[in-house]
Amino acid sequence: MKTNALKGMKDILPAEQKMRDYVQGKILETYRASGFERISTPILEDSENLDKSDGGDNLNLIFKVLKRGDKLESALSQEHPSEKELSDMGLRYDLTLPLTRFFAANRNNLQFPFKVIQTDRVYRAERPQKGRMREFVQCDIDILGDSSPNAEVELIDVTANAMLAIGFKDFYININDRRILRSMLENMGFAPETLDSVCITFDKMDKIGAQGIEAELKEKALPENAIKALVDFVSSGKEITLDYVASKCADPSIADNLKYIIKTAKEVAQGAYDIKYCPSLVRGQGYYTGAVFEIGSPLFSGAIGGGGRYDNLIGKFVGQPVPAVGFSIGFERICSILLDQNYQIPGAKEKCALLYEDSIPFAQVMKEAEKLRQTYSLSIIKKAKKAGPQFDMLEKQGYTKFATYKDGNLILK
């Protein structure tokens, strides 16, 4: 039998779990204080829903689940069974698709607009690396049923407040709007049906630079004049402001919505964090239709949160568009950063171990423990015959106070 957790997944020791519980608790507390309500959905979704969810590259990372019983035996009896014949469900790769299905099924019993919290595990068949696991926790808030840009402003504010509540101050929020980016690219000469592919390449701007973008677009056999226009744009040396990008669109007023979001969100932030226009920000999921945003930090090379507007996804279930926008905190990446910083839970009680022997009545031990718990986070532990190694292990686990008995009396030190 193997003792290690599966690749891309991990066991969590008590000290880390305590920190994770605290961080998730502060996030939930902030979300709920802002009027959001928590729901839960199953980890399994129908394969048809997952396949049609416009999840971008995530669709290639779904853990498929085999059919069961007679259905599986029937599929296996075929000479070359297809994937659909073998599998009919999969593990959710994010919390957005389950939310939209949930809303479609329960919308008659929900307040409108629906402000919702999801904090749960999701699964992706990733290549494991630091900050990228196959099983991880997401902390999402979404607003369904509000088409105004105020929904984006509120999500940015509440998410940033959650970050601040856990003591995470060194972060900024990048923001863009896919409609602006697509309009600019189309105006440069890229065909509408190629825009998704171009956006995926453009999203790598900070990693591969203008030359890398040019090479990758040429590999895709896209129009030379359009490639040149884009490369000239990103390497012109001019500051790429929102007004400058808007001037490259057929209708510059397309940027007005994003200008409002940035201006209003900055007013609300009051300098506690920065909100930056990022012209190359795309986000990988195909379901985004408008504003997209990511949380960045100099403490981590990738995004530590992200989201955007996805006005068409619920319509796949209900047959009509329902405005929707969400923001997700990268919980695992945040926890990884905090662990590297030796994060200490603010206001946590000192840990105390009450070590007792069989000669002391256990009822007495329990009563004295109850008194000590008014001051300490206390654990009752039977004293080992060799006390030295026991004390060493307790100190490693964060215990700083020890209560022991001498001649029947409790001594704290």
Side-chain angles (χ1 to χ4, degrees):
M1 300 287 284
K2 299 177 180 178
T3 59
N4 290 335
L6 291 172
K7 191 175 182 181
M9 302 180 183
K10 70 173 186 175
D11 298 320
I12 300 172
L13 293 172
E16 181 179 347
Q17 187 61 56
K18 185 176 182 180
M19 184 270 288
R20 290 167 67 94
D21 289 344
Y22 172 79
V23 170
Q24 191 172 92
K26 294 302 289 185
I27 292 170
L28 276 170
E29 180 184 309
T30 306
Y31 288 170
R32 284 179 168 141
S34 300
F36 290 75
E37 297 180 298
R38 190 179 182 188
I39 65 164
S40 293
T41 58
I43 66 169
L44 288 168
E45 286 288 340
D46 187 280
S47 289
E48 181 181 354
N49 289 349
L50 292 168
D51 291 341
K52 295 180 178 179
S53 62
D54 293 330
D57 289 341
N58 290 327
L59 299 186
N60 300 320
L61 303 176
I62 295 172
F63 281 104
K64 301 284 187 178
V65 177
L66 290 174
K67 292 181 178 180
R68 284 76 46 210
D70 293 342
K71 291 183 178 180
L72 178 58
E73 289 182 14
S74 175
L76 291 173
S77 67
Q78 301 178 42
E79 187 174 355
H80 299 292
S82 67
E83 186 179 285
K84 288 186 177 181
E85 290 168 326
L86 289 170
S87 173
D88 59 353
M89 62 180 70
L91 297 179
R92 61 190 177 198
Y93 62 81
D94 73 2
L95 298 176
T96 304
L97 183 276
L99 171 62
T100 57
R101 179 197 52 73
F102 171 94
F103 181 81
N106 298 282
R107 62 189 183 280
N108 293 331
N109 299 314
L110 300 173
Q111 180 177 326
F112 205 79
F114 184 42
K115 297 184 178 182
V116 58
I117 305 166
Q118 293 183 96
T119 59
D120 227 323
R121 299 186 183 208
V122 298
Y123 303 84
R124 295 178 192 171
E126 298 269 18
R127 178 181 296 174
Q129 54 187 287
K130 183 176 176 61
R132 193 178 293 276
M133 301 290 286
R134 288 175 172 170
E135 178 189 57
F136 55 97
V137 173
Q138 286 189 328
C139 294
D140 289 15
I141 46 173
D142 295 75
I143 300 177
L144 310 183
D146 187 347
S147 61
S148 81
N150 292 333
E152 280 89 336
V153 173
E154 183 173 2
L155 286 182
I156 290 170
D157 175 59
V158 176
T159 301
N161 285 339
M163 298 284 287
L164 294 169
I166 60 177
F168 201 102
K169 298 179 181 179
D170 199 0
F171 69 94
Y172 53 87
I173 296 174
N174 283 333
I175 187 168
N176 195 9
D177 191 312
R178 279 195 173 184
R179 293 167 295 189
I180 300 170
L181 180 57
R182 293 173 71 89
S183 176
M184 180 189 73
L185 293 172
E186 193 170 349
N187 202 41
M188 287 177 172
F190 292 103
E193 62 272 16
T194 67
L195 294 182
D196 287 339
S197 179
V198 177
C199 285
I200 289 171
T201 298
F202 192 37
D203 193 34
K204 302 174 185 177
M205 175 64 188
D206 59 338
K207 297 177 182 177
I208 63 177
Q211 289 184 337
I213 288 175
E214 182 177 16
E216 191 166 310
L217 293 178
K218 284 182 176 179
E219 283 182 14
K220 295 180 178 181
L222 294 168
E224 290 284 346
N225 64 314
I227 295 173
K228 184 178 185 303
L230 179 57
V231 172
D232 288 347
F233 168 73
V234 297
S235 57
S236 65
K238 293 183 179 180
E239 182 184 0
I240 304 179
T241 65
L242 183 51
D243 284 331
Y244 180 52
V245 173
S247 71
K248 301 293 182 181
C249 298
D251 179 8
S253 68
I254 196 171
D256 290 348
N257 192 74
L258 187 58
K259 289 178 181 179
Y260 172 84
I261 294 171
I262 294 172
K263 178 178 179 294
T264 309
K266 281 190 173 186
E267 288 179 9
V268 174
Q270 298 183 41
Y273 51 91
D274 196 12
I275 298 154
K276 306 177 182 180
Y277 168 62
C278 181
S280 63
L281 177 61
V282 176
R283 300 286 296 162
Q285 289 85 339
Y287 50 65
Y288 289 126
T289 58
V292 288
F293 20 80
E294 284 186 348
I295 305 173
S297 170
L299 301 174
F300 194 85
S301 60
I304 56 175
R309 181 165 285 279
Y310 53 99
D311 286 347
N312 296 331
L313 193 52
I314 298 175
K316 292 177 179 287
F317 292 100
V318 299
Q320 61 186 36
V322 176
V325 60
F327 208 154
S328 176
I329 287 177
F331 180 76
E332 302 292 346
R333 295 181 175 184
I334 294 293
C335 288
S336 175
I337 293 169
L338 294 177
L339 282 172
D340 289 344
Q341 295 178 331
N342 194 28
Y343 180 78
Q344 300 296 315
I345 297 173
K349 287 184 177 180
E350 234 180 320
K351 292 180 73 174
C352 177
L354 195 166
L355 303 171
Y356 73 97
E357 301 170 353
D358 288 337
S359 60
I360 307 298
F362 195 64
Q364 177 186 338
V365 175
M366 293 291 290
K367 289 178 182 177
E368 290 172 333
E370 196 61 34
K371 292 178 183 178
L372 287 170
R373 285 191 176 115
Q374 296 176 17
T375 306
Y376 303 103
S377 172
L378 184 132
S379 181
I380 300 171
I381 302 169
K382 188 172 181 178
K383 190 174 182 180
K385 290 182 180 179
K386 294 184 177 180
Q390 186 179 36
F391 276 100
D392 289 343
M393 178 57 71
L394 289 170
E395 286 177 348
K396 287 180 181 178
Q397 294 174 352
Y399 287 89
T400 54
K401 292 288 184 180
F402 299 93
T404 57
Y405 287 93
K406 185 176 181 180
D407 300 327
N409 298 314
L410 190 67
I411 299 172
L412 180 66
K413 56 183 179 180

